[in-house]
Amino acid sequence: MTFYLYGFRSFPKLWKNNLYLGFGPGCSYLFLVDSSGIRNQPRWFSLATLFLQNTKTINLQATSTRYLRKEDKRRNKQVSSDSPHFFAAGAAKKRAQMNPQSKESVISPPLNDTIQLPTKPLTSEEWDKLKENFKRKTSFESWISSQLIYSKSSLDVAKSLLAWVAAKNNGIVSYDLLVKYLYLCVFYKQTSEIIDVYEIMKVRYKRLETEGYTLLIRGLMHSDRWREAFLLLEEIKKVMIPSKRNYDDCIQGALHHQDTNTAWNLYQELLGHNLNPMLETLEAFFDFGKDIKDDQYANRLLEILLYLRNNQLYPGESFARSIKTWFESVPGEQWKGQFTTIQKSGQCLGCGRTMESIYLSAEEYGFLKENIMRNVIDGGDQYRKTTPEELKRFQDFVKHSAPFDIVIDGLNVAKMFPKARESQVLLDVVTQLAKQNLRLLVLGRKHMLNYHSRWRKDEMKKVQNQANCFFADNISEDDPFLLYATLHSGNHCKFITKDLMRDHKACLPDAKTQRLFFKWQQGHQLAITSRFPASKLTFQHVFCYDTVVQTTGDSWHIPYDEDLVERYSYELPNKWLCLQRKT
Amino acid sequence: MNVSFTFLRPFARFMMPCTLHRKRRDLYSTVLQRYMSSKISAVSSSSKEDVAPPEELELDKWKMTMKSSGQEGASAVSSSEDEDPLAATRELIEMWRLLGREVPEHISEEDLKIVMESPSKSSKKKYLKYLYIKEIKKTAKQKKKEIKAIAKEETKKDNLLENTKEDKPQNFLFLRLWDRTMNIAMGWKGAQAMQFGQPLVFDMAYDNYMKPKEMQNTVSQLLESEGYNRRDVDPFHIYFCNLKTDGDYYRQLVKYYGEKWNKLFLTATEKSHVDLFPKDNIIYLTADSPNVMTTFQHDKVYIIGSFVDKNIRPGTSLANAKRLKLATECLPLDKYLQWGTGTKNLTLDQMIRILLSLKNTGSWEEALKFVPKRKHTGFLEISHYSQEFVNQLKKKSTLNSFPKKLPKYTCKENEA
């Protein structure tokens, strides 16, 4: 309790923010993150009122928050004025917020129970009394111990509970209570207690289950008996593959005790199981590397960076900072790191180097084309998305009408403005593009030619005069055709649609191909950003550089995730760590 | 543990004077442990200990008893030491059960093997949960059975008492129709349907798309459908088409039906439905179809794909119909029902009940009562539907004049 209060005092700014800006989504989020230790409401309120009593500070706070609020608004405006790129980190979240239909998710406060959780150790009689008030189907002991975990009660309370249970039960405490107690011990890092529980478990049970092992591994790693944790890891391996968290604990523990060989072996084993290591694990290697001046270790760290590159993983903010400090600590190489962004032209603001191009190599391009054809369009059953006759017709059509510059998803473009007529919007877009002497292909469905009020005959005729058109059956999917036509036309060809194509990406067989598809999509998708029908056509800029960990030997560029920005899996970070060697 | 204990004892004694408020305490083992544990959290919890000194609570006593009393149990377990992964898995499940996880109490050798061979932790847990629920249901059923048996015994006793009182013969007009008689009657009707009934085809071409669990569900749904059909006034003549004799469907059906399989009044064939019936007469029912069924036609052959799709692969049955160039239709669910949640794919028994009801009454309201209530919020009134249609038309006509209104529209947007 006292600890948390102390914690808040040391961050007064944050505290004020929460108190006065109310519980908007952003603010309350911040608060919850910082106070994850205390969840139950009554405690929290007592804390708030305690703070409020200090009337002197209130005025001061009020003025400063007013200022803060203004600042906040200005920042919000800035953000909304330039709409983020489709694939930029946090963009999806913003889109969801702009959509008025989406409901705010309200974090409901935990249910208040009639039983007040004890804050100090109780005697047996007191426990008995508490149990009388308990009216639930589950057993009192396991319920109360779960509640103790939930509210992170002090160890002594849990201990008194166990003492009471043991006294009632001939000195036997059941396994689930032991595990819950162990959880609290690990949470408070009480090493001696952990070892005691470990001894008890070893005596009583021949083999534990995964949760017990996981807690013991985490607990033992910080004690002198850390080597025994590896035995526990072996025990887990007998029944199943340990989790990446188990490996993380073991590796961090080994590094903590200066045993780098074991750590690297465990890391190799982790990769061998096809698990993705936690970023914390990798960060630990870098953190530990600062004190080691060893070429082999350095090479392995560079291998980790390449692993990040190959799997398109991005470090978090603190990880990026550890990478920076490690590079700067390498003796004799004089690395200098800075946090920057990349210009739209693909040049690093820090050093002016150009980032890697987004375009695929010829080999990758062929591979992707082949895969799209086989998995997305054909997919083992050509009838699912189209028919063989239609596919043949389309392939002939594409072959004869030469490469295109732009392929348009007719239905997606036409439905852009729900209040405008479809054919009119499509005609507008096609006309504006045709004026630039581009070879266009418009993909659509046959019902677009069944002229009625929303698809006018004259406008469709004009579209067909200005562009090549292909109309698929009404029950066929048009997106696969779009992908194929674009890929067939070559690297210069782009396609227009607002669709993020996630369902088609999901059809691809493995993560590597999906990443390739995503890279190609970033470089070739044009999304229309015009807000009003009949206004000038504007597109979202297309990335010309690839967002991935990259090196030129004497420089490294590493994109990273900011802590406070939520990034969806199909978005990309926009902050970079630029490292270069002085020569 | 013992070693470190003796080593630390003098150390503790030496440190005692520093913690004055614990002076009274005896130097039994708990002191050391208390001290060791409070050393780390001394900053945060020292004030609390002053308020409530836990001297008399003996917080660590349980550990000693746990350690000493546990020895016997452990030795019994460790005697059967073997490095068999199967045994290890069994122990893992046992420990999970102690932790209150959803795992079965008893597990057979085959199930244990399935658990052991499941590739991931989550698939293991999933299968164990399935076994757990199965076990719970089984025990509940057994309990019910016992209760029923007791109740039956009692009524029997009562009846015996009553029967002794009134023993005179009674006059009845009809013999009681026993289940057997009912079955015979249904058999006659079935035979009639085989001769003159309207064909209804279950397409069994989906065995490659389903996992064992889904296959099991499909077969139990087929059984239920056949049951509903048998009891109807005017049954369909059911065809199981594309039923391969070495396939999964066949094996499961024979397993479930047992001896009855060869005496069923339905046609099971390896041939495809397009070989048995003229193509023009066939209508493939699939929720993905763009065409909506308006009326039930008595001269058509309806086909239902016997396919439980838990993987959500849309368009599988539509692809099959497209391949054979068959007409497709879907039920007019949106037209008659205010759809809520859930997929529009209905189970096979729901489908056959809807079709039977349509065949007998021809009313959609009557037929669609078999759609699960959780999936919709009620029937749409037809007038409401047409009202919506009129509204749509109105909307379209206003939109047609869009170019004239354009300046106003943009103005509005700018203001916002």
Side-chain angles (χ1 to χ4, degrees):
Chain A
M1 196 66 213
T2 44
F3 172 76
Y4 288 115
L5 202 63
Y6 175 77
F8 277 120
R9 284 240 168 93
S10 63
F11 299 109
K13 218 178 193 174
L14 186 92
W15 178 234
K16 278 178 237 159
N17 245 343
N18 288 317
L19 215 65
Y20 285 93
L21 290 182
F23 298 97
C27 299
S28 63
Y29 176 67
L30 248 181
F31 176 74
L32 277 173
V33 164
D34 276 62
S35 65
S36 58
I38 29 168
R39 278 276 188 79
N40 56 340
Q41 215 72 347
R43 280 184 172 208
W44 186 84
F45 275 121
S46 68
L47 198 148
T49 44
L50 209 149
F51 203 83
L52 268 174
Q53 277 163 3
N54 198 347
T55 42
K56 256 188 196 173
T57 49
I58 285 186
N59 288 333
L60 259 173
Q61 284 165 6
T63 48
S64 65
T65 42
R66 217 171 289 145
Y67 172 73
L68 270 173
R69 204 186 281 168
K70 251 183 201 169
E71 189 83 308
D72 228 39
K73 260 188 192 164
R74 204 178 306 147
R75 207 178 302 143
N76 274 345
K77 235 178 209 170
Q78 251 177 10
V79 169
S80 61
S81 65
D82 57 338
S83 62
H85 194 279
F86 259 51
F87 303 126
K93 184 135 203 194
K94 245 165 224 152
R95 277 202 300 277
Q97 276 164 359
M98 282 202 301
N99 191 358
Q101 282 156 359
S102 68
K103 283 173 201 149
E104 286 284 325
S105 63
V106 182
I107 304 156
S108 59
L111 273 173
N112 256 342
D113 221 275
T114 46
I115 292 184
Q116 195 73 38
L117 282 184
T119 50
K120 59 181 179 51
L122 303 183
T123 59
S124 300
E125 294 82 51
E126 283 170 317
W127 278 117
D128 281 330
K129 213 183 282 170
L130 203 60
K131 194 184 174 179
E132 278 171 23
N133 294 331
F134 180 76
K135 291 177 194 74
R136 271 182 204 236
K137 277 179 186 165
T138 51
S139 85
F140 171 75
E141 291 81 10
S142 69
W143 180 80
I144 196 88
S145 54
S146 303
Q147 291 301 308
L148 292 182
I149 284 187
Y150 189 63
S151 58
K152 307 280 186 292
S153 295
S154 76
L155 268 185
D156 285 340
V157 178
K159 238 189 242 176
S160 78
L161 172 72
L162 290 194
W164 170 64
V165 170
K168 259 199 335 185
N169 207 9
N170 298 333
I172 308 291
V173 176
S174 68
Y175 178 69
D176 66 321
L177 290 184
L178 267 182
V179 169
K180 280 167 186 165
Y181 177 65
L182 181 62
Y183 177 87
L184 275 179
C185 295
V186 173
F187 180 78
Y188 287 114
K189 296 205 169 62
Q190 300 283 329
T191 313
S192 63
E193 287 298 307
I194 292 165
I195 287 179
D196 271 356
V197 176
Y198 174 49
E199 291 294 337
I200 289 173
M201 284 184 166
K202 238 181 17 182
V203 169
R204 289 202 65 83
Y205 306 105
K206 184 187 164 200
R207 199 168 264 147
L208 306 182
E209 45 70 60
T210 42
E211 192 167 324
Y213 281 134
T214 304
L215 285 170
L216 280 179
I217 289 175
R218 185 163 309 158
L220 286 178
M221 266 311 167
H222 297 283
S223 70
D224 299 335
R225 299 169 67 176
W226 56 282
R227 285 197 182 276
E228 288 178 48
F230 299 130
L231 299 178
L232 297 180
L233 190 72
E234 290 300 317
E235 284 289 315
I236 297 183
K237 272 189 228 162
K238 276 179 196 161
V239 281
M240 60 173 65
I241 298 171
S243 68
K244 54 185 174 181
R245 206 169 282 275
N246 292 144
Y247 277 111
D248 177 55
D249 287 330
C250 286
I251 290 173
Q252 297 229 23
L255 286 177
H256 182 74
H257 293 96
Q258 319 283 330
D259 188 352
T260 51
N261 277 336
T262 314
W264 284 114
N265 287 340
L266 284 170
Y267 177 66
Q268 286 305 331
E269 203 179 297
L270 166 70
L271 293 184
H273 283 310
N274 256 340
L275 292 170
N276 287 335
M278 291 170 67
L279 289 176
E280 283 82 354
T281 318
L282 307 179
E283 187 177 342
F285 278 121
F286 274 92
D287 279 338
F288 185 69
K290 272 176 296 190
D291 312 321
I292 288 196
K293 308 293 168 233
D294 175 9
D295 274 352
Q296 203 193 353
Y297 195 92
N299 282 335
R300 279 179 162 162
L301 288 185
L302 295 184
E303 253 170 51
I304 287 183
L305 287 181
L306 289 181
Y307 176 82
L308 291 179
R309 175 190 166 82
N310 291 333
N311 292 283
Q312 244 146 55
L313 296 171
Y314 306 108
E317 208 169 316
S318 64
F319 187 6
R321 221 164 275 136
S322 332
I323 294 175
K324 181 168 174 273
T325 33
W326 177 76
F327 267 104
E328 285 169 348
S329 76
V330 176
E333 292 196 0
Q334 286 194 314
W335 285 93
K336 203 182 151 304
Q338 52 185 328
F339 297 109
T340 59
T341 49
I342 305 289
Q343 283 176 309
K344 280 182 184 174
S345 57
Q347 271 160 343
C348 170
L349 274 178
C351 60
R353 279 197 184 82
T354 312
M355 293 299 100
E356 272 178 42
S357 157
I358 189 82
Y359 293 119
L360 306 186
S361 69
E363 187 189 341
E364 287 172 326
Y365 197 88
F367 178 75
L368 181 65
K369 194 171 148 185
E370 166 77 7
N371 255 298
I372 294 259
M373 188 66 206
R374 192 166 21 147
N375 296 302
V376 179
I377 301 178
D378 188 309
D381 185 0
Q382 293 186 343
Y383 285 95
R384 189 168 292 180
K385 285 178 179 164
T386 167
T387 56
E389 298 87 57
E390 190 175 56
L391 194 60
K392 185 86 190 23
R393 185 165 70 92
F394 179 70
Q395 279 173 323
D396 288 344
F397 168 80
V398 171
K399 218 177 275 170
H400 286 125
S401 40
F404 308 103
D405 295 319
I406 286 183
V407 181
I408 301 169
D409 183 349
L411 278 169
N412 189 288
V413 167
K415 303 248 180 214
M416 209 166 29
F417 309 110
K419 287 184 177 161
R421 189 174 55 242
E422 273 94 343
S423 55
Q424 167 92 35
V425 177
L426 183 61
L427 180 63
D428 272 350
V429 171
V430 169
T431 321
Q432 289 193 40
L433 288 171
K435 274 183 198 151
Q436 302 171 29
N437 273 333
L438 295 167
R439 274 189 70 91
L440 304 177
L441 167 64
V442 175
L443 283 168
R445 294 216 178 98
K446 279 186 176 150
H447 73 77
M448 293 159 75
L449 297 173
N450 293 344
Y451 312 105
H452 60 80
S453 57
R454 308 226 44 151
W455 295 98
R456 280 230 204 138
K457 190 172 186 177
D458 52 329
E459 284 166 347
M460 287 311 288
K461 276 270 143 58
K462 278 184 203 159
V463 168
Q464 277 167 299
N465 285 338
Q466 289 172 340
N468 290 296
C469 292
F470 182 84
F471 296 101
D473 286 339
N474 291 339
I475 50 171
S476 296
E477 286 192 36
D478 50 357
D479 290 344
F481 291 131
L482 175 90
L483 297 177
Y484 180 78
T486 316
L487 278 165
H488 192 87
S489 300
N491 222 337
H492 70 286
C493 180
K494 303 220 168 22
F495 62 97
I496 300 180
T497 180
K498 266 192 166 177
D499 198 324
L500 292 169
M501 304 269 174
R502 283 170 294 185
D503 47 343
H504 305 299
K505 193 163 80 175
C507 289
L508 294 169
D510 53 41
K512 189 185 154 232
T513 324
Q514 288 181 1
R515 282 197 292 271
L516 218 54
F517 176 77
F518 186 48
K519 189 175 165 185
W520 173 78
Q521 189 189 359
Q522 287 168 51
H524 292 84
Q525 179 164 12
L526 295 169
I528 296 178
T529 52
S530 317
R531 291 268 177 100
F532 316 110
S535 63
K536 196 179 174 300
L537 201 59
T538 52
F539 293 111
Q540 189 149 60
H541 77 271
V542 178
F543 284 108
C544 60
Y545 61 91
D546 191 12
T547 307
V548 72
V549 176
Q550 48 195 278
T551 178
T552 59
D554 58 349
S555 82
W556 279 91
H557 284 88
I558 299 165
Y560 68 92
D561 283 320
E562 286 171 289
D563 283 343
L564 291 177
V565 176
E566 193 185 348
R567 184 173 65 83
Y568 287 83
S569 61
Y570 53 89
E571 295 173 342
L572 294 166
N574 33 26
K575 289 279 188 296
W576 289 69
L577 166 63
C578 161
L579 291 156
Q580 49 184 323
R581 191 147 54 162
K582 274 183 200 152
T583 44
Chain B
M1 193 60 214
N2 255 341
V3 181
S4 63
F5 208 69
T6 45
F7 169 69
L8 280 167
R9 192 167 272 174
F11 175 68
R13 196 172 286 151
F14 172 71
M15 293 298 282
M16 276 321 282
C18 300
T19 52
L20 281 172
H21 61 280
R22 288 216 194 87
K23 224 176 183 177
R24 278 187 299 129
R25 233 197 210 176
D26 290 335
L27 254 184
Y28 56 83
S29 62
T30 51
V31 174
L32 171 70
Q33 278 156 346
R34 275 230 51 86
Y35 176 71
M36 292 300 282
S37 64
S38 65
K39 196 168 69 173
I40 298 163
S41 60
V43 188
S44 58
S45 62
S46 61
S47 58
K48 200 193 301 164
E49 274 179 33
D50 283 334
V51 180
E55 264 96 336
E56 64 273 21
L57 282 180
E58 292 187 12
L59 291 178
D60 288 333
K61 203 179 164 193
W62 59 274
K63 284 182 192 164
M64 311 313 282
T65 52
M66 281 292 278
K67 275 178 202 169
S68 54
S69 68
Q71 231 100 36
E72 306 131 34
S75 58
V77 176
S78 57
S79 63
S80 62
E81 184 120 3
D82 51 337
E83 287 310 301
D84 183 18
L86 218 62
T89 313
R90 195 181 277 279
E91 272 166 43
L92 172 83
I93 292 167
E94 181 56 26
M95 290 313 279
W96 266 342
R97 205 176 63 78
L98 284 182
L99 202 61
R101 288 281 168 77
E102 290 165 328
V103 293
E105 198 173 340
H106 309 286
I107 186 163
S108 71
E109 206 75 3
E110 297 149 46
D111 284 336
L112 199 62
K113 245 175 212 156
I114 293 177
V115 170
M116 205 182 69
E117 280 155 15
S118 315
S120 67
K121 189 176 169 185
S122 62
S123 60
K124 276 184 182 127
K125 281 188 174 170
K126 220 182 216 171
Y127 192 73
L128 284 172
K129 189 178 175 184
Y130 160 72
L131 291 177
Y132 168 73
I133 290 171
K134 207 166 130 186
E135 194 175 55
I136 283 185
K137 279 184 182 163
K138 205 176 163 190
T139 47
K141 217 177 182 179
Q142 220 145 31
K143 227 179 232 169
K144 234 181 191 172
K145 219 175 170 182
E146 279 164 24
I147 292 171
K148 245 184 187 168
I150 292 167
K152 213 176 178 183
E153 202 90 313
E154 277 174 15
T155 48
K156 219 178 185 179
K157 267 183 208 163
D158 293 347
N159 281 348
L160 270 176
L161 290 174
E162 279 173 32
N163 280 352
T164 48
K165 280 173 198 166
E166 37 181 300
D167 217 9
K168 59 182 181 186
Q170 284 173 302
N171 270 334
F172 291 107
L173 184 52
F174 298 111
L175 261 180
R176 180 167 169 185
L177 279 177
W178 295 99
D179 281 354
R180 194 157 45 90
T181 335
M182 296 278 278
N183 281 341
I184 291 167
M186 285 195 283
W188 276 105
K189 241 179 354 186
Q192 210 167 8
M194 287 281 279
Q195 283 180 302
F196 310 112
Q198 182 179 0
L200 179 74
V201 177
F202 283 96
D203 184 9
M204 311 287 214
Y206 298 95
D207 32 3
N208 296 332
Y209 296 96
M210 287 190 280
K211 287 181 180 165
K213 197 83 156 287
E214 294 168 320
M215 175 61 82
Q216 244 174 38
N217 293 347
T218 311
V219 170
S220 67
Q221 284 179 21
L222 278 176
L223 253 66
E224 211 157 316
S225 318
E226 192 269 328
Y228 280 121
N229 185 56
R230 199 189 313 172
R231 269 166 272 164
D232 198 78
V233 192
D234 181 18
F236 283 110
H237 175 196
I238 292 184
Y239 283 80
F240 287 168
C241 287
N242 295 321
L243 182 69
K244 288 168 221 114
T245 32
D246 55 345
D248 264 345
Y249 277 117
Y250 187 82
R251 227 172 299 131
Q252 295 262 6
L253 280 170
V254 170
K255 183 183 147 200
Y256 274 99
Y257 272 114
E259 286 175 13
K260 190 99 204 309
W261 173 246
N262 286 321
K263 296 172 192 162
L264 281 178
F265 286 107
L266 52 77
T267 310
T269 167
E270 286 199 341
K271 280 187 204 159
S272 168
H273 34 88
V274 281
D275 301 331
L276 296 172
F277 308 104
K279 260 191 184 181
D280 304 336
N281 279 350
I282 296 178
I283 295 177
Y284 210 111
L285 293 175
T286 162
D288 298 318
S289 170
N291 314 316
V292 179
M293 183 172 174
T294 50
T295 50
F296 181 85
Q297 287 158 294
H298 294 271
D299 54 342
K300 296 282 188 194
V301 179
Y302 286 100
I303 302 182
I304 301 171
S306 45
F307 179 27
V308 172
D309 181 19
K310 286 198 176 155
N311 257 7
I312 318 293
R313 274 163 306 196
T316 310
S317 55
L318 185 64
N320 266 346
K322 260 157 92 180
R323 196 187 335 269
L324 299 170
K325 295 200 176 59
L326 299 174
T328 58
E329 277 182 5
C330 67
L331 294 180
L333 298 173
D334 276 328
K335 191 176 163 187
Y336 290 96
L337 299 172
Q338 184 76 44
W339 199 260
T341 52
T343 61
K344 304 235 161 107
N345 295 325
L346 301 178
T347 60
L348 303 179
D349 52 300
Q350 285 157 12
M351 278 308 284
I352 202 167
R353 291 177 85 180
I354 288 170
L355 290 178
L356 282 169
S357 169
L358 278 178
K359 189 156 93 114
N360 298 335
T361 65
S363 123
W364 280 108
E365 280 82 3
E366 203 60 36
L368 293 183
K369 275 182 186 154
F370 296 112
V371 177
K373 292 271 188 304
R374 64 169 191 281
K375 288 193 175 185
H376 62 90
T377 51
F379 279 86
L380 276 177
E381 284 171 36
I382 296 303
S383 60
H384 176 72
Y385 182 75
S386 52
Q387 187 68 41
E388 221 166 60
F389 187 68
V390 171
N391 282 349
Q392 261 177 11
L393 283 182
K394 266 189 197 165
K395 224 179 183 178
K396 273 176 193 167
S397 63
T398 50
L399 281 167
N400 277 348
S401 53
F402 160 70
K404 284 174 229 159
K405 285 185 179 174
L406 185 67
K408 200 179 165 192
Y409 176 67
T410 46
C411 260
K412 227 179 179 178
E413 278 291 314
N414 281 338
E415 270 169 29

